């Protein structure tokens, strides 16, 4: 029997702020699915694994400099406690140094058993725990957040909406931005005219072939204008497919 049928997709989040969870993940699509048991969320308080008198989780950086560093022993103990025996889930550390999160990675995570996510705070975590526990650093963009929690919420939200039974229409996950290296075409809804702006005539034509061609052309135009990196990948893939 596959893991998916025995236990739902499970995110274990290690954080100094467990009260930030489920947070936004408790509302809307993700929240309803959480309530229905489609996925599980466990917030582990890293501070519960500090053992000195002051329950300290951080200390001054070796070599000097500003800020504080999360202690290797405390983070490792929290991680070891959160992992089940032979836990197959990827162990991620949210980090601006990490590999940028992509929709392809999100899809791969959604197909697996879940994730274990460590949220950094302060200047980050002691390098030795990253090495010793094989943590994979993942970034949500070239910005610096004050903590890994909002990044973990971004990652989990993106994965959960792809789990079977979470989104209304099965296909609504397929024609979206990034699925084929293209950004999405523009959307319109009623009224037909608003502030002197009309819905493009082709969308009202009822001609599904024309509509599909127009949407593809618009997706290509927007991608070319906004994301030369994606446009190059799209061109290379089209050349390969020929
Ligand atoms: N001193 C670090 C930044 C620390 S920010 C540096 O210069 O790289 C504190 C924590 O926020 C990090 O440990 C990480 O867990 C989280 N974080 C900040 N920016 C992030 C990003 N773009 N993606 C993922 N996590 C991020």
């Amino acid at each position: 029997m596959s893991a998916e049928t025995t236990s739902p997709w499970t995110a274990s989040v290690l954080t100094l702020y467990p009260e930030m969870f489920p947070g936004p993940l408790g509302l809307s699509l993700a929240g309803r699915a959480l309530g229905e048991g489609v996925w599980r969320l466990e917030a582990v308080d890293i501070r519960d694994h500090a053992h000195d008198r002051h329950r300290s989780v951080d200390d001054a950086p070796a070599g000097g400099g500003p800020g504080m560093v999360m202690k290797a022993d405390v983070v490792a103990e929290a991680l070891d406690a959160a992992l089940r025996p032979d836990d197959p889930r990827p162990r991620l550390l949210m980090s601006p140094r990490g590999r940028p999160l992509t929709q392809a990675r999100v899809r791969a995570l959604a197909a697996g058993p879940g994730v274990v996510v460590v949220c950094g705070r302060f200047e980050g975590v002691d390098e030795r725990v990253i090495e010793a526990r094989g943590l994979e650093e993942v970034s949500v963009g070239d910005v610096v957040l004050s903590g890994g929690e909002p990044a973990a919420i971004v990652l989990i939200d993106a994965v959960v909406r792809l789990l079977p039974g979470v989104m209304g229409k099965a296909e609504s996950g397929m024609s979206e931005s990034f699925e084929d290296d293209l950004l999405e075409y523009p959307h319109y809804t009623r009224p037909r005219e608003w502030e002197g702006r009309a819905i493009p005539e082709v969308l009202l034509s009822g001609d599904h072939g024309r509509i599909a061609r127009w949407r593809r052309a618009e997706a290509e135009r927007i991608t070319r204008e906004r994301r030369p990196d994606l446009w190059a990948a799209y061109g290379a893939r089209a050349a390969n497919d020929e």
Side-chain angles (χ1 to χ4, degrees), residues 199-207 209-215:
I199 293 177
E201 173 276 328
V202 52
L203 297 179
L204 308 171
S205 69
D207 180 339
R210 254 185 86 208
I211 292 172
R213 285 192 298 280
W214 180 86
R215 285 179 167 166

Side-chain angles (χ1 to χ4, degrees), residues 3-4 9-10 22 85 87 89 95 99 143 163 165 175 177 198 200 205 213 227 231:
E4 286 84 339
W9 193 90
T10 300
D87 201 318
R89 295 175 296 168
S95 161
R99 179 183 305 206
V143 294
L163 298 176
S175 74
S177 290
S205 69
R213 285 192 298 280
R227 291 289 299 274
W231 183 243

Side-chain angles (χ1 to χ4, degrees), residues 47-141:
R47 198 172 293 277
D48 287 345
H49 299 275
H51 296 303
D52 68 332
R53 213 149 45 86
H54 305 288
R55 300 182 81 208
S56 48
V57 295
D58 57 324
D59 206 338
M68 298 294 270
V69 176
M70 288 172 73
K71 288 163 64 64
D73 56 341
V74 177
V75 172
E77 191 183 301
L79 199 55
D80 295 345
L83 293 170
R84 331 239 177 288
D86 299 317
D87 201 318
R89 295 175 296 168
R91 307 163 186 188
L92 311 181
L93 169 65
M94 303 318 296
S95 161
R97 296 192 319 197
R99 179 183 305 206
L101 186 63
T102 61
Q103 189 65 15
R105 185 73 206 281
V106 164
R107 229 172 235 297
L109 289 172
V115 277
V116 180
V117 185
V118 179
C119 300
R121 280 272 154 184
F122 320 116
E123 293 308 317
V125 306
D126 187 310
E127 190 73 18
R128 292 170 295 180
V129 70
I130 302 176
E131 292 167 8
R133 293 296 181 275
L135 299 181
E136 177 193 343
E137 296 180 62
V138 176
S139 167
V140 295

Side-chain angles (χ1 to χ4, degrees), residues 138-155:
V138 176
S139 167
V140 295
D142 289 345
V143 294
V144 180
L145 303 169
S146 50
E149 291 80 6
I153 289 169
V154 165
L155 180 139

Side-chain angles (χ1 to χ4, degrees), residues 10-24:
T10 300
S12 299
V13 181
L14 281 66
T15 169
L16 291 173
Y17 296 95
E19 56 276 51
M20 286 193 186
F21 294 88

